Amino acid sequence: MNVQINGKLLVLPKQISLLAWIGNQNIPLAAVIVEYNGEILSRDHWETTLLNEGDQVELLQFVGGGR
């Protein structure tokens, strides 16, 4: 199954929930916003949203810094 995540084409061997995929990437969940097929996806839906063929996902992370 082909999905695009942050502009990169990924081939996933099977359908997986968005929450499980993010967890497998060791991304800190507290600092992430997900855009799923052009829409900001509420954190409440990450577990029930399954990645499907052709999906486009953008993960936006908050970073601190500056003065």
Side-chain angles (χ1 to χ4, degrees):
M1 169 176 47
N2 297 311
V3 297
Q4 188 171 336
I5 299 181
N6 288 348
K8 294 182 181 179
L9 184 63
L10 296 179
V11 178
L12 301 178
K14 63 180 181 174
Q15 199 171 40
I16 186 171
S17 76
L18 184 58
L19 181 63
W21 187 87
I22 293 170
N24 289 340
Q25 305 308 305
N26 296 317
I27 297 171
L29 298 178
V32 173
I33 292 177
V34 173
E35 180 183 302
Y36 178 75
N37 294 328
E39 301 285 331
I40 299 297
L41 188 63
S42 168
R43 194 174 300 270
D44 296 341
H45 293 94
W46 291 7
E47 187 173 2
T48 57
T49 299
L50 298 176
L51 293 173
N52 293 295
E53 178 72 31
D55 281 346
Q56 294 185 5
V57 178
E58 293 290 329
L59 301 176
L60 309 169
Q61 292 183 301
F62 293 106
V63 293
R67 293 181 181 201

